DNA sequence: CACTCTGTTCAAAAAAGTTTGAACAACCGC
DNA sequence: GCGGTTGTTCAAACTTTTTTGAACAGAGTG
């Protein structure tokens, strides 16, 4: 049973129209600021402006990117919670749609991209603090303690600001 | 008159000790998260842990980076407000010291790296919104209006969150 | 002015990061 | 199980970014 409803953007249209291109460009720039690769922005941007969910093949065809890129890009977007599989496709292939709540996007980015670095940073700094205790020269040790203490304060501030960020951006 | 007080880290010490290396590594990781080049982290990290201001040549010697890198790195750090020229050097060469108030660092980063992108994003989206008005298909136009409106909300949220961020991180 | 010292510039080299595409795995229907 | 379809993997190609270093500019000194 192969009844595919015409997926507008998906099924037929072989190229993006200028407006769609513009939207994709905005997202490409957007993700660059966040340090994510171009293809992530292209994929999310296209999903964002599509009225229907799109399949991996749609993305390959419309964005002129390789299957590999599309696959990896979708994986990352899924892990960020920025994209989900559309429900109810009776078809074999899976269709994707964007998550469009800012709260969700920010949350995913923080969880996947920020927290891990923050945590590894914190543990490195703890080790640092221990090692600084061992320094013989007491003047130097005092100075190091002061600076490393400041680092710890920074980390703690950053940690506290994240939930706040999420709260504020969730409206 | 060439009376140079021995600049501890600066004058003599030919290599970083393990602790200094560790601190530098922390900052290298830190700036990578922010999408800044490694050398920026090395330079700032070394200044951060040095008890005395350091000159460009000190940085070259201690970090084993080229003069070009050090020069460009210092330029960027100055533009970010993360580093300033130390006062009172009667010497010809200029010495640098780090700004260590988180407020200042965050402020500089936002001003130099975030705001410009945010602003260019906003103007791109305005153009987008105009173009979307021109679309003939009214159903499509409506959808585009909704999505682009959401984009505008995102932008506005981001704009509002920045000053807040600065306030919170300023203690 | 000639010389030295400090720092900047920028084209080319190196490094880092991204994308590609062919091979492969997994699944489905027949 | 076979043939077709969908999606993943990963080494190699490609792109972008960063670093290097040699040439140069400027400023101080004698």
């Amino acid at each position: 049973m192969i009844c595919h409803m015409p997926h507008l953007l998906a099924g037929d249209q072989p190229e993006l129209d200028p407006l769609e291109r513009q939207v994709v460009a905005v997202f490409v720039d957007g993700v660059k600021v966040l340090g994510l690769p171009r293809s992530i922005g292209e994929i999310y941007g296209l999903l964002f402006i599509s009225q229907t969910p799109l399949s991996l093949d749609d993305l390959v065809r419309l964005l002129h990117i390789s299957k590999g890129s599309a696959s990896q890009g979708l994986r990352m977007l899924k892990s960020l919670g920025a994209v989900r599989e559309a429900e109810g496709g009776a078809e074999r292939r899976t269709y994707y749609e964007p998550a469009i709540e800012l709260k969700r996007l920010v949350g995913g980015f923080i969880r996947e991209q920020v927290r891990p670095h923050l945590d590894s940073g914190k543990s490195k700094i703890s080790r640092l603090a221990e090692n600084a205790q061992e320094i013989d020269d007491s003047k130097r040790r005092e100075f190091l303690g002061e600076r490393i203490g400041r680092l710890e304060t920074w980390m703690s501030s950053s940690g506290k600001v994240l939930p706040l960020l999420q709260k504020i951006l969730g409206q």
Side-chain angles (χ1 to χ4, degrees), chain A:
Chain A
M1 190 261 278
I2 297 161
C3 84
H4 60 125
M5 76 190 297
H7 264 290
L8 294 182
L9 247 174
D12 356 317
Q13 191 179 320
E15 292 291 342
L16 298 185
D17 69 35
L19 201 98
E20 286 158 353
R21 266 181 235 285
Q22 255 186 297
V23 173
V24 168
V26 166
F27 280 95
V28 166
D29 285 11
V31 301
K32 182 165 296 169
V33 174
L34 302 177
L36 302 174
R38 160 179 207 91
S39 61
I40 296 289
E42 293 179 321
I43 295 171
Y44 184 83
L46 183 52
L47 292 175
F48 185 85
I49 211 58
S50 164
Q51 263 170 84
T52 60
L54 302 180
S55 70
L56 187 144
D57 276 345
D58 294 331
L59 296 171
V60 167
R61 187 160 37 76
L62 292 165
L63 294 171
H64 305 113
I65 61 181
S66 67
K67 248 174 11 138
S69 254
S71 173
Q72 289 176 204
L74 282 170
R75 167 147 44 107
M76 177 163 224
L77 284 165
K78 277 185 273 184
S79 85
L80 289 170
V83 143
R84 64 170 150 271
E85 307 191 356
E87 285 306 308
E91 299 190 51
R92 176 117 81 89
R93 88 178 57 186
T94 67
Y95 286 85
Y96 298 91
E97 58 191 10
I100 58 176
E101 316 82 43
L102 185 54
K103 185 172 44 174
R104 200 175 162 66
L105 299 174
V106 172
F109 184 75
I110 289 177
R111 172 170 36 75
E112 297 294 315
Q113 307 279 304
V114 183
R115 274 259 193 271
H117 287 290
L118 212 58
D119 292 345
S120 94
K122 273 182 189 164
S123 68
K124 277 198 199 123
I125 291 169
S126 302
R127 254 170 288 142
L128 213 49
E130 288 166 26
N131 296 351
Q133 298 298 323
E134 319 272 278
I135 297 287
D136 286 331
D137 176 355
S138 79
K139 206 67 190 159
R140 177 74 178 150
R141 190 175 58 242
E142 200 178 314
F143 174 80
L144 290 172
E146 185 250 291
R147 285 285 151 107
I148 294 172
R150 189 170 283 266
L151 262 184
E152 283 167 333
T153 307
W154 290 1
M155 285 312 205
S156 141
S157 298
S158 312
K160 274 184 223 134
V161 101
L162 294 187
L164 215 54
L165 250 191
Q166 295 190 62
K167 180 167 264 178
I168 295 163
L169 292 174
Q171 289 348 315

